[in-house]
Amino acid sequence: MIGCIIQARMGSTRLPGKVMLKIDKKHPTIYYVLEQIRQSKYLDDVVVATTNLKEDDIIAEFAKNYGINIFRGSSTDVLDRFYQCAKKFSFSKIVRITCDNPLIDPITVDDIIKIFMSNDYDYVSNTIKRTFPYGTETEIFSFDALEKAWKYSNDPYEREHVTPYFYNKNNKFKITNFSSHTDLSKFRWTIDEKNDLELVKLLVLKIKKRPILTKYILDLLDAEPELIKINLENT
């Protein structure tokens, strides 16, 4: 079973509560993450994985009202949170998405899943060598690989960020990077700062098609290049 685990928490240091900040008049960041990812053709299930902290009750409540599964675990050992979540829901393959990427592209997600499924890889990502825009980060790995990382990693950074064990110990895993045909790494529509949020709000307002694909965003930025300047300093 291919499961997507969406990592979410309220306690961001740079932009606190960004998961629940409104992108439009009605909907917060997490809504757009879920709406985008549900367009994937290959995911069997999606789970929002948040922490046991009371401040994250709002995330659990939103996921429940949206009608999606929720898992709650460690706020510091995110690797353990992912492992326990994947184990609970019997995921043999895990797609990792973070909740600061409301314009995650389901086509990119599916392209990465297809590469993973058609080869004998332990880990596939578009982040090992960055050629995709910030805000489209996608990773997929096997449960067996996740279990090895969970069992053997003692590094606090690896425990917090879930997947570094795979590429730090790449002699132990079969991994590959999915690259864009064109280097798009100068573009940014993740949400880390207030001006990132400002740009994403405008992209959502100006692009009427759903889901919002990378090619639609690039077309808009080509037509209105001044938009790129909104959060250029964050890249």
Side-chain angles (χ1 to χ4, degrees), residues 70-72 82-91 143:
I70 185 79
F71 180 87
R72 305 189 72 168
F82 265 73
Y83 173 73
Q84 301 299 342
C85 178
K87 189 175 181 181
K88 177 180 178 179
F89 289 96
S90 302
F91 294 158
F143 180 80

Side-chain angles (χ1 to χ4, degrees), residues 6-55:
I6 298 174
Q7 184 177 324
R9 68 187 179 106
M10 292 295 287
S12 169
T13 53
R14 284 175 287 186
L15 190 59
K18 62 185 176 182
V19 172
M20 297 305 299
L21 292 178
K22 291 287 197 299
I23 299 291
D24 59 33
K25 290 181 180 179
K26 287 180 61 178
H27 302 115
T29 302
I30 188 173
Y31 170 84
Y32 278 92
V33 178
L34 293 169
E35 285 290 295
Q36 292 281 112
I37 204 67
R38 69 195 288 265
Q39 300 299 321
S40 167
K41 297 175 182 177
Y42 300 112
L43 292 174
D44 297 307
D45 198 5
V46 177
V47 179
V48 172
T50 191
T51 82
N52 285 318
L53 298 175
K54 184 161 183 57
E55 67 186 40

Side-chain angles (χ1 to χ4, degrees), residues 173-201:
F173 300 101
K174 187 176 180 183
I175 70 175
T176 196
N177 186 73
F178 176 59
S179 297
S180 170
H181 296 301
T182 306
D183 185 359
L184 303 173
S185 58
K186 69 177 182 180
F187 295 105
R188 176 186 179 89
W189 44 83
T190 189
I191 296 179
D192 276 332
E193 309 282 355
K194 285 184 179 180
N195 51 2
D196 292 328
L197 181 63
E198 182 184 347
L199 175 62
V200 170
K201 283 181 176 181

Side-chain angles (χ1 to χ4, degrees), residues 127-138:
T127 63
I128 300 171
K129 184 180 185 301
R130 184 175 291 278
T131 57
F132 279 85
Y134 289 82
T136 62
E137 292 85 350
T138 305

Side-chain angles (χ1 to χ4, degrees), residues 205-219:
L205 179 66
K206 289 172 176 286
I207 297 171
K208 304 304 180 184
K209 295 179 182 178
R210 296 294 184 270
I212 299 174
L213 304 179
T214 297
K215 62 182 179 180
Y216 302 158
I217 300 173
L218 294 174
D219 286 345

Side-chain angles (χ1 to χ4, degrees), residues 117-169:
M117 296 298 293
S118 61
N119 296 275
D120 188 27
Y121 289 117
D122 298 301
Y123 173 76
V124 179
S125 146
N126 63 347
T127 63
I128 300 171
K129 184 180 185 301
R130 184 175 291 278
T131 57
F132 279 85
Y134 289 82
T136 62
E137 292 85 350
T138 305
E139 301 169 285
I140 182 170
F141 41 90
S142 68
F143 180 80
D144 288 345
L146 177 63
E147 188 167 51
K148 287 176 184 175
W150 174 80
K151 189 179 293 184
Y152 297 116
S153 176
N154 295 310
D155 183 285
Y157 181 85
E158 292 176 349
R159 305 297 301 191
E160 180 185 357
H161 296 279
V162 184
T163 56
Y165 185 83
F166 301 140
Y167 41 88
N168 289 342
K169 306 289 191 300

